[in-house]
Amino acid sequence: MRPATSSPPPATGTVETVSVPVTLKAGADTLPFESGSGYTPDIDRIDVPKSS
């Protein structure tokens, strides 16, 4: 398993875009989301752009 990447939570009641760089392997990948002991944010979508 690869090391975790963390991002600070958005302010309560706000909408925010968060970009987190990841390195994907060929085939299937899993992107787990965890909030630790805090509130889990609502995730509207995940965009994975094609690499250039």
Side-chain angles (χ1 to χ4, degrees):
M1 183 180 278
R2 290 176 244 171
T5 299
S6 63
S7 175
T12 302
T14 64
V15 175
E16 185 174 318
T17 297
V18 177
S19 297
V20 179
V22 296
T23 301
L24 302 176
K25 302 178 291 184
D29 283 288
T30 301
L31 299 173
F33 292 88
E34 182 179 304
S35 64
S37 61
Y39 168 75
T40 302
D42 294 326
I43 297 174
D44 179 70
R45 71 175 184 231
I46 299 171
D47 292 326
V48 181
K50 186 175 182 178
S51 62
S52 47

